[in-house]
Amino acid sequence: MELYEAMIIISPELEKDDHQEVLDGLSSAITKNNGSVSTILDWRKRRLAYEIDKFLEGHYYLVYFSAEGTVIPEVEHYFRVTDEIIRFMVVRTDEQEFEAAAKKAASEAEAAKKAAAEEITAAAEAGEAEVKESADTETPEPVQDSQEKTAEAEVESSGTEDEEDKPAGE
Amino acid sequence: MRRDRGRKPKKKICSFCVEKIDSVDYKQYEKLKRFVTERGKVLPRRISGNCAKHQRQLTRAIKKSRIMALLPFSME
Ligand SMILES: [Zn+2]
């Protein structure tokens, strides 16, 4: 058995009350195949960095479960046939990372509560920050000598050594 | 091997090593943002100061983060 982390994004069109049904479906896809769900973390609604299915935001969940690798295709199948899930990813994880994620989610939820109270101020600040950012130049600091090419090559080649990065269970 | 030419010498150190990070987490996209340019490209190691190991992990984390729309794909 391995510990897995599934991150899913639920469509913003689905009412919060109906999220549980989607999550239950995922849980049963896991348990039906002799896996077990250990925790589901509500990662809250977030703005998407780019449009997915015409949506600009989505509700994130992190689902931690242990299962044999053979369960992964079943789980991925559930994701694919569930229209309310607009994006998903399954990665292998371990206890340590799981603990860290749980801790962070808890403190973020706390912070979100506070932030909701100061929402108006925060929104104004975010708008300001965006303007400032786009005014910045692309190069973060002066470049010494002419090693630009080398650096560029480094970035490119680092993209190829990626075998273990595939979704788990292949 | 110093070639700071009057500039304030600035030693490049891997911030992930400093923070004793075992593996770079794709979920911490706020942190990953510091290592991409405005156009969304990964900052080269020479500029970020990351060690090779963490730069590799970082590149992977950024890719995952992009897939989950936590970070934008790079704009060419
Ligand atoms: Zn390092």
Side-chain angles (χ1 to χ4, degrees), chain A residues 5 7 43 46 49-50 60 87 89 97 136 138 144-145 147 151-152 154 159 161-162 165, chain B residues 3 5 7 26-27 29 37-39 41 46 56 60 63-64 66-69 71-73:
Chain A
E5 172 189 279
M7 183 185 274
W43 224 42
R46 286 162 201 261
Y50 52 86
Y60 286 75
R87 185 64 48 95
M89 183 165 68
E97 282 180 47
D136 282 346
E138 161 116 51
Q144 303 165 345
D145 301 332
Q147 299 180 353
E152 213 55 32
E154 247 174 55
E161 41 187 284
D162 225 331
D165 200 31
Chain B
R3 36 177 196 158
R5 288 186 208 136
R7 274 200 338 131
Y26 76 97
K27 298 188 291 303
Y29 59 99
T37 66
E38 197 189 330
R39 315 203 101 226
K41 292 183 83 176
R46 179 176 53 81
R56 248 188 333 266
R60 285 191 198 118
K63 279 183 186 170
K64 288 180 185 158
R66 283 171 179 161
I67 290 171
M68 294 310 294
L71 288 179
F73 280 97

Side-chain angles (χ1 to χ4, degrees), chain A residues 41 64 94-107, chain B residues 25 27-28:
Chain A
L41 299 177
Y64 292 89
D94 55 41
E95 283 298 332
Q96 206 184 332
E97 282 180 47
F98 163 61
E99 300 288 343
K103 231 165 136 185
K104 192 153 191 297
S107 73
Chain B
D25 185 4
K27 298 188 291 303
Q28 298 199 32

